[in-house]
Amino acid sequence: MADSIAAAAQKHPAPEGLIYQYGTAGFRTKAEVLDSVMTRCGLIAALRSRALKGKWIGVMITASHNPPEDNGVKLVEPLGNMLQEEWEVLSTEMANKATPEDVSKFYHEIAARFKIDLDAPARVVVARDTRASGARLLACVLDGLKGAGAEHKDYGFLTTPQLHYMVRCLNTEGTKDSYGTPTEDGYYEKFAAAFKTALKGKKPSGSLTVDCANGVGGPKLTELIKHLPPKEEALEIFVVNDNVIKPEALNVDCGADYVKTNQRAPPSSKVGPNDRCCSLDGDADRVVFYFKDANNMFHLLDGDRIATLVASFLGDLVRQSGLSDSIKIGVVQTAYANGAATNYVEQHLKLKVDCTPTGVKYLHHAAEKLDIGVYFEANGHGTAIFSVDTLETIAKHEPKSTAQKEALEVLRACIDLINQAVGDALSDFMLVEVVLAHKSWGPQEWLSTYNDLPNRLLKVIVNDRKIFQTTDAERRLVKPDGIQTKIDQEVQKVRQGRSFARASGTEDAVRVYAEAATKAEADDLARKVAEIVKSFGSA
Ligand code: NG1
Ligand code: ZN
């Protein structure tokens, strides 16, 4: 019998001399060199599904906030989580096999190693963002799935969180943990209904302008809006930068990454003072808010702000429902969280803060250990998750007063409104709007909860970024020898100084972060630490 695995790999041979790695966000690089990786990911997805007795595995084709010429692929576990680390390693090894025969051999090796029955059913769902290369790369994935004899569902264009939602729905369909209907309409209906219930008749003030990065979030938001209550009753939403007909416009001068990195609104923005705006990234799993004040000053409300807002609101609801003795809330951040945000959560909200390495999977993992874990990266990627026990406690709780009953209803609606599978920009922005409506807050009140410490993020190009090894959730360097002492010396020279350097997981660079009491000190500290990194990196 012909070897269908080798045949699939043969159809999309690996370019010579390239090394691929399944990083923090899957495989991500120039789209033109991804064909072979896609086919092999199809094979891995089929194996992963078979290893889990035919559970649905997700394959998302996207490069998120990267430029239009890039693309990438991530695999999604049955409950919508990120791929298990052991399988990331297998994916990397598979992607780097030189010949079709090597691919087939490794496929069978994995099957033997994990005792996978190759005749068991394999089920895989695929979706993609709006990049021009998506259709070609999808065909490569499908060749892999066909070679492995996997059943597949192709959802066409979806946001990354929608794909995670589909995976979770398909695997829980018909069970007591059913997450929803695995269709696009099912997604809109679920989140729109939860938004309406969570608002409880409160109308957000003013409107919200949503910049969709000219990505897949644009058309999907337009669909969502059709399911939301009319603007007279709830929220008026203006959709901007939703041009997906022109794929070269994706993430260009707009989107969450542009706004966060440049600390400014997209140049095309035409909103008035104090108008709320938010920006999604290219696959709609990140969101940051911002506004201009009466003096035309730009103010960013990033992932740290969303985390503090959501944690404080959920904390209020838990207390008002009479559940504060049985449910504890915690916040999970990375070292990139502004020191003022960490301080606010600990000192003002009196909640526990955990710090993990960069990458959503680490934050998610730490949040899973909490009753309610609110996790966000400063760049706007995050969500809140509820433990199984907590969900049960909230479901069973009998309110003792009307006030408790009302708080409990909002809390339950928030659980439905928050995408439990993964951070979801559409769900996150609706949650923010619910909180602001309940608090009767505009962006200015939200901003005034604490003052961000001035900060600076720099990128340093070095010979080999792997020599920079960290400890303490990436806050300190253990290698190269002596570098941390030098950084410490600089940090001590500035007021409220904090700085760290770490190798990026998605780019060939070392990132340097610094914050301090004033902008000048933060800039200066970042520059000094960057120089230290450079001197050790060119040795
Ligand atoms: P790296 O390149 O490892 O810093 C970046 C972001 C992460 C995360 C990943 C995946 C920063 C400083 N880093 O990681 O938060 O979002 O990309 O997209 O924003
Ligand atoms: Zn993204």
Side-chain angles (χ1 to χ4, degrees):
M1 201 179 90
D3 181 343
S4 62
I5 306 294
Q10 176 73 53
K11 210 168 158 192
H12 306 289
E16 258 173 62
L18 286 183
I19 297 171
Y20 299 98
Q21 180 163 14
Y22 197 105
T24 351
F27 295 102
R28 199 181 283 183
T29 183
K30 295 280 159 270
E32 62 196 39
V33 296
L34 273 170
D35 295 38
S36 61
V37 173
M38 293 288 162
T39 306
R40 292 153 190 230
C41 275
L43 298 175
I44 291 285
L47 281 171
R48 182 72 187 130
S49 174
R50 289 198 167 110
L52 296 168
K53 312 237 169 325
K55 288 232 160 68
W56 289 94
I57 292 295
V59 175
M60 182 71 201
I61 303 171
T62 177
S64 186
H65 58 280
N66 283 37
E69 62 276 15
D70 288 8
N71 215 327
V73 58
K74 310 187 242 210
L75 302 190
V76 178
E77 292 277 325
L79 287 182
N81 298 352
M82 304 285 174
L83 184 65
Q84 251 192 21
E85 244 167 293
E86 193 174 28
W87 283 77
E88 292 185 6
V89 177
L90 296 173
S91 305
T92 298
E93 209 176 325
M94 182 62 106
N96 291 306
K97 291 291 172 200
T99 66
E101 291 69 36
D102 293 342
V103 168
S104 175
K105 196 164 153 243
F106 189 51
Y107 178 90
H108 291 94
E109 261 172 49
I110 297 174
R113 198 186 310 169
F114 293 90
K115 300 196 173 44
I116 297 169
D117 174 5
L118 289 177
D119 294 323
R123 300 188 177 97
V124 177
V125 315
V126 295
R128 59 192 162 105
D129 70 15
T130 51
R131 283 162 199 272
S133 56
R136 189 191 83 239
L137 296 177
L138 169 68
C140 300
V141 172
L142 296 183
D143 282 336
L145 294 177
K146 210 166 106 202
E151 179 189 334
H152 79 271
K153 252 189 217 295
D154 174 10
Y155 279 94
F157 299 112
L158 288 182
T159 69
T160 293
Q162 282 182 321
L163 186 268
H164 285 250
Y165 165 90
M166 298 305 174
V167 173
R168 189 165 174 143
C169 289
L170 286 166
N171 286 307
T172 55
E173 216 175 3
T175 74
K176 68 171 183 27
D177 299 320
S178 166
Y179 194 58
T181 312
T183 60
E184 256 194 85
D185 269 346
Y187 172 94
Y188 301 126
E189 277 158 20
K190 174 177 172 138
F191 289 98
F195 180 61
K196 187 171 178 215
T197 313
L199 276 175
K200 263 199 149 278
K202 299 241 168 15
K203 189 173 159 11
S205 73
S207 61
L208 176 70
T209 299
V210 186
D211 153 26
C212 301
N214 292 321
V216 66
K220 301 309 175 188
L221 173 57
T222 303
E223 276 310 306
L224 172 67
I225 290 172
K226 293 181 191 158
H227 294 77
L228 294 178
K231 62 177 194 253
E232 296 75 26
E233 286 168 34
L235 177 65
E236 182 167 20
I237 300 175
F238 297 109
V239 183
V240 299
N241 299 326
D242 60 341
N243 185 354
V244 290
I245 309 299
K246 215 174 117 198
E248 65 275 20
L250 176 69
N251 296 321
V252 176
D253 287 342
C254 60
D257 201 56
Y258 175 90
V259 173
K260 170 76 182 162
T261 312
N262 297 291
Q263 312 236 348
R264 58 168 296 186
S268 57
S269 169
K270 289 188 191 68
V271 297
N274 292 316
D275 281 343
R276 287 191 306 291
C277 303
C278 70
S279 286
L280 321 181
D281 71 341
D283 62 339
D285 60 356
R286 285 193 197 180
V287 62
V288 294
F289 278 71
Y290 49 94
F291 69 102
K292 281 182 188 155
D293 64 21
N295 301 319
N296 217 20
M297 263 273 280
F298 171 84
H299 298 282
L300 179 67
L301 296 151
D302 63 3
D304 296 344
R305 296 279 178 178
I306 300 175
T308 51
L309 184 77
V310 168
S312 108
F313 185 62
L314 293 177
D316 290 346
L317 290 177
V318 164
R319 209 168 24 253
Q320 289 158 7
S321 308
L323 282 165
S324 44
D325 287 341
S326 37
I327 299 175
K328 295 279 167 279
I329 300 182
V331 174
V332 186
Q333 302 178 325
T334 70
Y336 291 105
N338 196 281
T342 312
N343 204 41
Y344 176 77
V345 178
E346 286 177 339
Q347 307 300 325
H348 186 85
L349 301 179
K350 308 254 181 258
L351 300 177
K352 190 165 97 82
V353 177
D354 287 325
C355 184
T356 73
T358 305
V360 176
K361 67 178 174 218
Y362 298 110
L363 290 127
H364 191 93
H365 204 67
E368 275 176 338
K369 301 200 175 93
L370 304 164
D371 296 341
I372 300 179
V374 180
Y375 71 85
F376 272 88
E377 293 189 309
N379 60 29
H381 199 173
T383 187
I385 54 173
F386 298 72
S387 75
V388 174
D389 288 351
T390 303
L391 288 175
E392 205 175 299
T393 307
I394 294 171
K396 282 192 179 147
H397 185 60
E398 293 285 343
K400 309 220 163 29
S401 64
T402 318
Q404 282 198 1
K405 181 169 167 286
E406 291 197 346
L408 196 63
E409 280 167 10
V410 178
L411 182 59
R412 286 176 181 156
C414 284
I415 293 173
D416 288 337
L417 179 58
I418 300 168
N419 191 333
Q420 298 285 296
V422 73
D424 180 337
L426 300 182
S427 140
D428 287 342
F429 92 66
M430 287 194 284
L431 179 64
V432 166
E433 288 296 323
V434 164
V435 181
L436 295 178
H438 277 275
K439 287 183 183 280
S440 302
W441 276 7
Q444 194 67 59
E445 286 84 2
W446 181 12
L447 182 74
S448 62
T449 47
Y450 63 84
N451 292 320
D452 269 325
L453 282 170
N455 58 86
R456 189 68 193 260
L457 187 60
L458 293 179
K459 226 176 358 189
V460 185
I461 309 296
V462 294
N463 287 341
D464 177 12
R465 73 190 204 275
K466 288 194 287 300
I467 65 166
F468 294 88
Q469 290 171 20
T470 60
T471 182
D472 188 22
E474 303 178 328
R475 289 174 288 195
R476 298 186 66 75
L477 283 165
V478 285
K479 287 269 177 248
D481 289 334
I483 188 170
Q484 188 60 48
T485 319
K486 287 213 153 44
I487 295 176
D488 290 343
Q489 281 163 1
E490 292 304 329
V491 169
Q492 273 150 26
K493 287 182 197 162
V494 301
R495 289 167 301 146
Q496 292 177 274
R498 184 169 75 89
S499 181
F500 65 92
R502 58 172 274 281
S504 159
T506 62
E507 282 178 73
D508 192 10
V510 172
R511 294 194 203 282
V512 169
Y513 176 88
E515 63 185 31
T518 61
K519 184 85 193 119
E521 284 168 295
D523 286 348
D524 200 43
L525 179 57
R527 218 173 16 246
K528 294 262 172 52
V529 174
E531 274 162 25
I532 297 172
V533 168
K534 218 175 240 158
S535 70
F536 278 82
S538 57

